Structure formats: C-alpha cells, structure tokens
Amino acid sequence: MTRLWITRPLPTPVVAAAQALCDEVVVRPETLPLSAEELRRALTDFDLVLPTLGDQFSAAVFADVDAPRCRLLANFGVGFNHIDTGAAAKAGIVVSNTPGAVTDATADIGVMLMLMSARRAAEGERLVRADAWEGWHPTQMLGLHMSGKCVGIVGMGRIGQAIARRCHFGFGMEVHYVNRSEKALDFPATRVGTLTEMAGQVDFVVVAVPGGAETRHMINAEVLAAMQAHAHLVNIARGDVIDEEALIHALQSNTIGGAGLDVYEREPLVPQELRALDNVTLLPHLGTAALEVRTAMGHMAVDNVRAFLETGQVSNPV
Ligand code: NAP
C-alpha cells in the first residue's frame, strides 16, 4: 500500500492526479510548515512526501529516523534550500523539484518589483489610499526611469535569464551579470568578474541565485556600498541571500535608491524597520502565485512521483 503525504492544500486537479497514482493520498489541510513531530512522521509514516517551502528537512530530521519508510521527497517548488539533500541521499531518500514551471511567473514579479521600486508605485498607492494626494504637478513623486538603463543579474539561471530577456527586449536595457559558471546566452549580456564590481556599474541589481550556505549574505554591506546612490535592489530568490540588516541600514541612510523584496531572511517575519520605510516595496512571496502556475508546479511534482513509482528515478532530481 503506497501512501503519499501532500503537506499543503494544492489545486484540485493536482490532488486528483496524485490519487490516480497512489493507494492513499493524505492532504494536510494546514497552510503552515510541518512541525518537528510532523517532519518525523513524514519519514516514518509515508512512502512518498510532496513537501514545499518551509518544511525544514534538516540533517537532524533525517538523523532522528533510523530506517525511514519514505523514499521520495517530491518538492513543490524549484528552491530546495529547506531540504538537506546530502543528508537525504545518505538516508536513501530521493529529492526532486519543479524547475521551469516557475520561471516566467517569477521573472514577471522580478520586473514588477523593479518598476514598483523605481517608479515608487507602492508609496504612491499608499498616498492615494491615505487621501493625501494633492493632485498632479511636474515635480511630484519623481522616480527612476527604467527603459534604457542597465540591469545587473546575480545568478543567470532560468529565472535570471527570463528577467534579463524582459529587460533587454522589453525595456531596451543593457544586461550585466555574475554567475558561478559560464553561460551560453541568446541575447546580448556582459559577464562581470565580481559582484561588487557589477554592483557599481548598474542601475538595478536583481538577485536570482538559489538560497543556501553558498549564497548566504552574498549581498552584504560591501556590495550595497558599491551600488550607485540611485540604484535599486530586487530580490525574488531567497531572503538569506541578502544581509537584511545591512540592507535596512542602506535604505535608512539612502545610500541606495530603493529595494523591491519578495522574500525575507526570517520569512514570514518582516522587520518593523523595513515596514517603516517608504523606499522599499514589500511583497509576501508572490513569485509563483497564480493558479495555472501552481497547478503546473503540482503536476510536475506529481510527474516526479509517477516516474519514481514506475522506474525508481525522477525526472527532476536535485
Ligand atoms: P537555476 O536555473 O538553477 O539558476 C540559478 C543560477 O544561480 C544558476 O545560473 C547558478 O549558476 C547561479 N548560481 C548558483 N550559485 C551561485 C553563486 N554562488 N554565485 C553566482 N551564481 C550562482 O534556478 P532558477 O530556476 O533560476 O531559480 C533560482 C532561485 O529562485 C530558486 O533556487 C528559488 O530559490 C528562487 N525562486 C523564488 C521564487 C519566488 O516565489 N520568489 C519562485 C521560484 C524560484 P550555475 O549555472 O553555475 O549553476
């Protein structure tokens, strides 16, 4: 009897697809991450688990269970920094993710944050809602014009490239980037040697690297100090890629033009200091928040379950 645990409510067609594959599918009704006890139960009571962001499968969770029943963590989402994949492999558990399904939606949110931050959209909306708008005049709420400017992409992967394409083809922008390895790109872009060097050259820094130990606090006080005073920082990747304290300091002292954030270091906690500032746009992790995208992600996760059941391997291993 094959038992699958889906750790959050998912779109109905996704659950139906999973039900067609497994003897029993349990959909956890809660919307918050698994508790310590539930993480343990995921490994002991289920053959397959479809977890997601916030379900902290750390090394300690795997070490706590001697002979896990679970054989697959089919993660819902491309980011898997909440799963210690080394410890999972040691425990004999396969991990998969949902690359590609998230790319365009997340890139759209990235460009939206660039525009919102540069053109002061959230601040303007607050002004109107507060009934404090006194009417149009030529020097009211002047922001940074985005078309034709220069964007610096941190991590030229699937989402980084999708943002760069939008910037180049849609806004006539120059594209600079830093990336771990060499990339073959089908649009003009300049690879820069170091992140600090790039930060000093561009009008927008957009973060699109995965989270995790390798990228933690990659955007630190030094990188922020290198940015031009009018430049904007956008993060659609993971919160801990940015040193949030250093960012708050830069925003408070206006050493950068502004920031647009979809993700936070201690999500869902957003520091009061950030919430008090007008030069930062704050979104509640909306990157893939559209029904068709979440449905595509779910089907991709279920496809990994299907492949695993049929062949013992997944289509999207991590
Ligand atoms: P991807 O295709 O794997 O791209 C990541 C890129 O970052 C790769 O090009 C990689 O380089 C580069 N990279 C990794 N470590 C680096 C480092 N230390 N220095 C420089 N570059 C580095 O992943 P993706 O599909 O674009 O997704 C990126 C991340 O976005 C995900 O991991 C996830 O955390 C986040 N995300 C957020 C949302 C949201 O809702 N806000 C939605 C989807 C995804 P290589 O080519 O050398 O590997």
Side-chain angles (χ1 to χ4, degrees):
M1 158 132 165
T2 311
R3 294 192 86 206
L4 167 70
W5 199 14
I6 300 180
T7 70
R8 302 289 192 288
L10 292 183
T12 311
V14 174
V15 176
Q19 282 165 338
L21 292 177
C22 304
D23 299 315
E24 189 187 356
V25 175
V26 179
V27 181
R28 182 173 168 269
E30 288 85 8
T31 54
L32 295 179
L34 295 177
S35 67
E37 188 270 327
E38 287 175 313
L39 286 162
R40 187 168 208 288
R41 207 141 56 75
L43 301 187
T44 57
D45 292 11
F46 295 88
D47 305 283
L48 311 150
V49 178
L50 204 150
T52 193
L53 183 94
D55 293 337
Q56 294 295 341
F57 284 95
S58 64
V61 171
F62 295 107
D64 193 34
V65 177
D66 269 346
R69 172 170 174 177
C70 177
R71 289 174 297 136
L72 171 69
L73 297 178
N75 189 58
F76 178 90
V78 68
F80 54 87
N81 55 312
H82 52 284
I83 302 173
D84 187 322
T85 49
K90 251 200 214 156
I93 298 172
V94 173
V95 182
S96 62
N97 69 344
T98 61
V102 302
T103 302
D104 283 333
T106 312
D108 291 349
I109 290 284
V111 173
M112 186 172 87
L113 279 171
M114 290 170 74
L115 281 167
M116 285 183 78
S117 188
R119 300 298 299 274
R120 303 172 61 178
E123 188 188 344
E125 220 244 2
R126 282 193 293 276
L127 184 85
V128 174
R129 283 183 189 275
D131 201 16
W133 183 35
E134 289 174 351
W136 187 95
H137 66 84
T139 55
Q140 183 209 9
M141 287 202 68
L142 302 183
L144 175 73
H145 180 55
M146 186 160 109
S147 292
K149 293 293 190 305
C150 184
V151 63
I153 307 282
V154 183
M156 197 58 119
R158 286 171 292 253
I159 296 171
Q161 288 179 44
I163 293 171
R165 270 199 201 92
R166 283 158 172 72
C167 289
H168 171 71
F169 294 108
F171 294 89
M173 295 175 79
E174 201 180 309
V175 178
H176 292 198
Y177 71 99
V178 290
N179 195 70
R180 189 169 50 186
S181 60
E182 194 71 50
K183 287 282 175 193
L185 303 171
D186 57 3
F187 52 86
T190 306
R191 189 175 179 198
V192 184
T194 70
L195 176 52
T196 311
E197 190 186 338
M198 185 179 82
Q201 300 169 345
V202 299
D203 306 295
F204 294 85
V205 173
V206 181
V207 181
V209 286
E214 200 191 324
T215 57
R216 186 171 185 277
H217 287 190
M218 205 172 164
I219 308 291
N220 54 21
E222 184 194 326
V223 173
L224 291 163
M227 285 174 66
Q228 304 185 65
H230 69 270
H232 291 256
L233 174 68
V234 165
N235 188 9
I236 49 77
R238 283 292 179 265
D240 63 356
V241 180
I242 296 181
D243 178 343
E244 214 163 74
E245 241 183 86
L247 174 61
I248 289 168
H249 184 68
L251 290 167
Q252 283 172 339
S253 49
N254 291 308
T255 59
I256 64 172
L261 307 176
D262 192 37
V263 287
Y264 306 87
E265 259 202 280
R266 281 168 289 276
E267 227 169 284
L269 185 105
V270 179
Q272 162 59 24
E273 293 98 319
L274 273 182
R275 288 185 279 122
L277 288 167
D278 253 340
N279 56 352
V280 62
T281 302
L282 306 168
L283 298 184
H285 205 141
L286 291 183
T288 60
L291 179 59
E292 66 185 84
V293 179
R294 292 281 161 83
T295 304
M297 290 164 69
H299 281 305
M300 201 167 195
V302 170
D303 284 347
N304 279 303
V305 171
R306 180 183 297 109
F308 185 77
L309 289 173
E310 286 172 3
T311 68
Q313 292 186 339
V314 290
S315 321
N316 309 105
V318 295

